[in-house]
Amino acid sequence: MKKTALLMFTLLLALSSCTGDSFRDHVRRGNRNYEWATDTLNQDSTYIYEACTEYERAISRDSMIALAHYNAGNAYLLTGKDSTAFHEYMVADSLESDFTRQAHIHRNIGVLLQSEALNAPDSLKYTLLNGAVENY
């Protein structure tokens, strides 16, 4: 009886750990919602908020992945939450080691800071020097 109960408990524990969504699942759902929100035929703003939620869930799973922070920054930029987008871009910049991806991050920081004449030119100059293109 004890062996059966122990076996059932172990099986339930193993199943509960397998059914959780992975970091990558949340990023994929966030990307899908982001694409739907930016689609010209579909201007439903609920998708962008769902994308923000999925990216935040991905970050809560693994906060050391620059891509999740970058994507969250892009989603927050569309919602008008500039300070949150700026924070996510800064975290992504600190985690990213690839210079081309850093240039993309700096381009978006430059877009956010374009009203501040002192900070925007440095970010935009970094972007141009590192050859960022439109697609991340």
Side-chain angles (χ1 to χ4, degrees), residues 13-74:
L13 185 63
L15 285 176
S16 67
S17 65
C18 293
T19 59
D21 290 332
S22 71
F23 160 81
R24 185 45 79 190
D25 292 334
H26 290 296
V27 171
R28 285 184 184 129
R29 275 191 232 122
N31 290 344
R32 186 174 46 240
N33 286 325
Y34 184 86
E35 287 177 26
W36 288 341
T38 56
D39 185 9
T40 56
L41 299 176
N42 185 12
Q43 294 295 324
D44 188 3
S45 64
T46 57
Y47 287 118
I48 196 63
Y49 292 108
E50 290 175 15
C52 291
T53 302
E54 291 298 331
Y55 292 137
E56 288 301 322
R57 287 178 183 159
I59 290 169
S60 71
R61 293 272 184 193
D62 189 353
S63 63
M64 299 303 291
I65 305 294
L67 178 64
H69 290 282
Y70 177 78
N71 289 352
N74 290 339

Side-chain angles (χ1 to χ4, degrees), residues 77 81-87 89-90 93 104-127:
L77 188 62
K81 297 180 179 178
D82 293 345
S83 61
T84 308
F86 181 77
H87 171 73
Y89 288 142
M90 294 304 288
D93 184 43
H104 290 285
I105 294 166
H106 281 253
R107 180 196 61 217
N108 289 0
I109 291 171
V111 168
L112 277 173
L113 299 177
Q114 63 187 340
S115 62
E116 295 180 26
L118 297 176
N119 294 328
D122 292 335
S123 289
L124 293 174
K125 182 176 17 171
Y126 183 86
T127 299

